[in-house]
Amino acid sequence: KSSSNEPTKQKNNSVGQPATHASGPLHCTGEAIYIDDIPAPANLLHGSLILASKCHATLASIDVEPAFSIPGVAGVFTSEDIEKMGGDNKMGPILLDDYTFLPVGEKVDFVGQVLGVVVGASQEIAAKGARAVAVEYADDVEGKAIVSIEDAINAESFWTDFRHEMKRGGNVDEILTKSEVDGKRLVVIEGSMRSGGQEHFYLEPNSTLTVPSESATNLTIYSSTQAPTKTQDFCARVTNTPAAKVVVRMKRMGGGFGGKETRSVFVATAAAVPAKLMNRPVRVTLDRDTDMAITGGRHAFLAKYKAGAIVEE
């Protein structure tokens, strides 16, 4: 027995001791299952995205017929198909300012914007079908494309909703124009610094497997995502399916680092549309080049500074 004032010893105290990661043995043996490792369900179709090859232009037309000349292509889906099933094509993490599939007549904002999806018997067939889709653009957008921070500043194309100011004391701008403050010399320095954008470079690219059930009235979505709630929300909206009938399962990711907080959802919606309409499982797994080209990344920054210091002599 121990007295009441003696510290109680805890059994199996793990503080300061090496601990095995819960999935460590599976990772080391290669047995950990990621989305693209899930055994193919019966009647599985593979999807490949139709991507815009031009930006700062209007999407004039999409001709999907050439894709059907590729043996093994099972279907091609665009914004028209979302409209036909009563789905909501608009999406976005905060503002609904993006599309699952860009409609004809809308401005193409960036190269790689998703215009639709082709599904086929294999990934290679689907990709070949996506490349066969004929897309035309109209050069009727005024101005020039914004491709840098300076371009955005010059065009006044930026958000001001989240601007913050911290003010204390006198008028800083006025003080920094002077050479002296209270009889003491003022040294002023100014300049700028920039940081380029960064690719999150998760090991596992964006991948989704959508499995319909109950005559496609229910959807089970296996997705490599940091945002299962958003995935459920937008897959339900785009397919006109009650959210209560959309189940999202996310066992593990091969990395995310913030890159799959919102930018993974468009892959899930692209898989959900053909799965719902064809009542067949659909898997969409981006190759590395496509993933890096179209998912965005951490923002680039340009900072300009001007500061002053009183010289104590």
Side-chain angles (χ1 to χ4, degrees):
K1 295 182 179 179
S2 61
S3 61
S4 59
N5 59 356
E6 290 182 356
T8 301
K9 292 183 179 181
Q10 296 182 358
K11 294 183 179 181
N12 301 322
N13 189 348
S14 61
V15 176
Q17 302 297 319
T20 301
H21 189 285
S23 297
L26 295 178
H27 289 162
C28 291
T29 59
E31 296 175 273
I33 300 296
Y34 296 89
I35 303 303
D36 208 39
D37 300 321
I38 297 174
N43 298 318
L44 175 69
L45 292 171
H46 298 265
S48 183
L49 304 178
I50 305 167
L51 304 175
S53 59
K54 188 173 182 177
C55 71
H56 199 65
T58 299
L59 179 60
S61 66
I62 301 176
D63 183 5
V64 303
E65 290 304 319
F68 287 104
S69 66
I70 308 297
V73 168
V76 184
F77 301 89
T78 65
S79 63
E80 292 183 356
D81 298 287
I82 296 176
E83 184 178 349
K84 289 176 183 177
M85 65 173 157
D88 185 354
N89 194 21
K90 297 298 291 288
M91 59 183 296
I94 300 174
L95 302 176
L96 299 180
D97 58 352
D98 201 357
Y99 294 97
T100 296
F101 302 143
L102 186 71
V104 170
E106 294 292 333
K107 177 188 173 185
V108 182
D109 290 318
F110 57 92
V111 172
Q113 190 159 6
V114 181
L115 311 180
V117 64
V118 175
V119 292
S122 70
Q123 181 64 41
E124 293 77 12
I125 289 173
K128 190 174 182 180
R131 292 193 296 269
V133 173
V135 180
E136 294 186 354
Y137 306 89
D139 296 318
D140 57 356
V141 178
E142 297 181 356
K144 66 175 185 177
I146 296 174
V147 296
S148 69
I149 295 176
E150 288 85 353
D151 289 345
I153 293 172
N154 293 333
E156 297 185 348
S157 177
F158 45 78
W159 290 104
T160 59
D161 303 47
F162 309 108
R163 178 174 292 175
H164 302 283
E165 292 184 353
M166 184 173 66
K167 294 182 178 181
R168 186 174 62 184
N171 188 319
V172 175
D173 293 331
E174 180 182 341
I175 292 174
L176 290 177
T177 63
K178 299 179 179 180
S179 59
E180 290 187 352
V181 175
D182 297 331
K184 297 181 179 180
R185 186 160 62 94
L186 178 68
V187 176
V188 177
I189 60 171
E190 61 182 311
S192 64
M193 58 175 290
R194 67 171 62 242
S195 171
Q198 295 177 320
E199 168 62 34
H200 294 93
F201 207 81
Y202 25 75
L203 280 72
E204 177 195 24
N206 276 287
S207 183
T208 293
L209 169 64
T210 300
V211 181
S213 59
E214 304 290 334
S215 300
T217 59
N218 290 254
L219 299 174
T220 301
I221 299 170
Y222 302 87
S223 185
S224 179
T225 181
Q226 292 174 269
T229 301
K230 288 187 175 68
T231 301
Q232 179 199 41
D233 179 21
F234 287 109
C235 286
R237 291 163 62 107
V238 76
T239 61
N240 193 21
T241 304
K245 295 187 176 183
V246 177
V247 176
V248 177
R249 298 188 179 277
M250 211 298 294
K251 176 66 175 179
R252 62 171 56 86
M253 283 183 297
F257 319 122
K260 294 176 180 175
E261 284 190 21
T262 60
R263 298 306 299 155
S264 61
V265 177
F266 77 97
V267 179
T269 57
V273 171
K276 170 88 171 185
L277 290 173
M278 300 190 74
N279 194 21
R280 291 179 64 177
V282 173
R283 176 150 43 202
V284 176
T285 298
L286 303 185
D287 59 56
R288 178 63 64 188
D289 290 347
T290 301
D291 194 299
M292 291 183 67
I294 71 175
T295 55
R298 296 190 180 100
H299 293 171
F301 286 88
L302 171 63
K304 297 181 179 180
Y305 60 87
K306 187 173 184 180
I310 294 174
V311 178
E312 295 287 353
E313 296 177 325

